[in-house]
Amino acid sequence: MAQSTDTDENLTAATEPEADAPERPELDPETRARRDAALAHVRQLGDPVLRAKALNVERFDERLAQEIERMGRLMVDAVGIGLAATQLGVLHRVLVYAVTPDTPAIALINPRLEWSGDELETIEEGCLSLPGVHLDVERPIHVRVSAQDPSGAAIEVQASGLEARVIQHEMDHLDGVLILDRVPRDVRKQAMRALREAEAGSTSA
C-alpha cells in the first residue's frame, strides 16, 4: 500500500502549531481553550521521556487503536500537524500527522526511513514540546518510509515537501531527537535562553 502527497514546498513548515503552514488565523476563545487543554497532555522540554528511544509496537489491538485515536484528537485540538507517542509519555514507535486541516490523520507504526533524496531544504519548524521556539531546520525534501498501519499491515509512504518534513520531525521524536539537536550550537543556546526567559516571565506573571 503506497501513499504519496506532493505538497507545496514554499509552505512554512512546522510539525507543531506555533509556526504552522499555511498561517492560521487568530484562534477564537473556544479553540484556544481546547488547544490549551490538549497541550497540558504534551510533555515539555526537560521531561526525560523526550530523550528516550521508543520501542517497536508488537501488539496491534484495540488498545493501540485507542492510543492512535487519542493522539489524533490531541493533535487536532492542539492545532498541530504532527504528534509522536513519546510526546505523550508513551514509549511506542507511533506517530500521527495531517498536513492540512481538512485531511484525516495518518498513523505510522514502527516507521523506518528507507531512503531520502539528496536535495535539502531549510525551513522554520516549531514543536508542541518546545512552545514558542521556531528554528530553521535542514532536511531532505523527499523521503520513502516503510511502516505498519493500525492493523499491522505493511505500508510504504513516499512523501515530499511538508509531508516529508513532518514525518522526519516526528520520527526524530521517536529516537529522542529534538529540533534543538538539528541546529548549530549557538542557535541552540539562543533558543534555550529564550525558553528560560519565557518561563521566567510566565512565572512572574
Side-chain angles (χ1 to χ4, degrees):
M1 177 179 177
Q3 298 169 327
S4 177
T5 301
D6 187 12
T7 52
D8 182 356
E9 295 174 6
N10 292 320
L11 292 176
T12 301
T15 59
E16 320 296 357
E18 298 295 340
D20 221 341
E23 289 187 7
R24 298 178 185 272
E26 184 68 24
L27 299 180
D28 60 75
E30 181 180 347
T31 302
R32 182 171 294 279
R34 189 165 59 246
R35 178 175 181 268
D36 290 343
L39 288 176
H41 295 274
V42 177
R43 303 298 179 91
Q44 302 298 306
L45 182 66
D47 191 312
V49 75
L50 293 176
R51 291 302 190 178
K53 190 168 184 177
L55 304 174
N56 278 341
V57 173
E58 298 181 354
R59 297 185 62 176
F60 293 79
D61 52 14
E62 181 60 28
R63 186 172 181 177
L64 176 64
Q66 292 173 357
E67 177 184 334
I68 293 170
E69 190 279 332
R70 176 174 180 258
M71 288 176 63
R73 184 177 67 253
L74 288 173
M75 178 189 70
V76 171
D77 287 349
V79 199
I81 57 176
L83 187 67
T86 49
Q87 291 179 277
L88 300 180
V90 180
L91 291 179
H92 285 170
R93 296 193 73 81
V94 179
L95 66 86
V96 297
Y97 71 95
V99 296
T100 56
D102 56 345
T103 57
I106 295 172
L108 300 182
I109 296 93
N110 302 329
R112 184 171 63 182
L113 182 66
E114 298 291 348
W115 171 86
S116 60
D118 295 332
E119 190 176 1
L120 305 176
E121 186 173 45
T122 300
I123 291 180
E124 185 180 77
E125 293 184 16
C127 182
L128 289 176
S129 295
L130 284 78
V133 174
H134 308 105
L135 301 172
D136 290 334
V137 179
E138 182 181 71
R139 297 190 190 273
I141 296 176
H142 310 287
V143 298
R144 182 173 68 248
V145 174
S146 64
Q148 291 168 278
D149 68 13
S151 70
I155 58 175
E156 183 177 89
V157 178
Q158 297 188 48
S160 299
L162 179 59
E163 182 184 20
R165 181 168 292 271
V166 173
I167 292 172
Q168 291 174 84
H169 178 113
E170 302 308 336
M171 287 180 66
D172 272 355
H173 273 302
L174 299 181
D175 290 324
V177 177
L178 303 175
I179 55 175
L180 290 169
D181 306 316
R182 296 287 185 184
V183 298
R185 185 176 180 180
D186 59 330
V187 176
R188 183 164 59 249
K189 284 185 175 180
Q190 292 174 11
M192 292 299 295
R193 188 180 306 116
L195 270 174
R196 287 193 293 270
E197 291 174 352
E199 290 173 356
S202 62
T203 301
S204 61

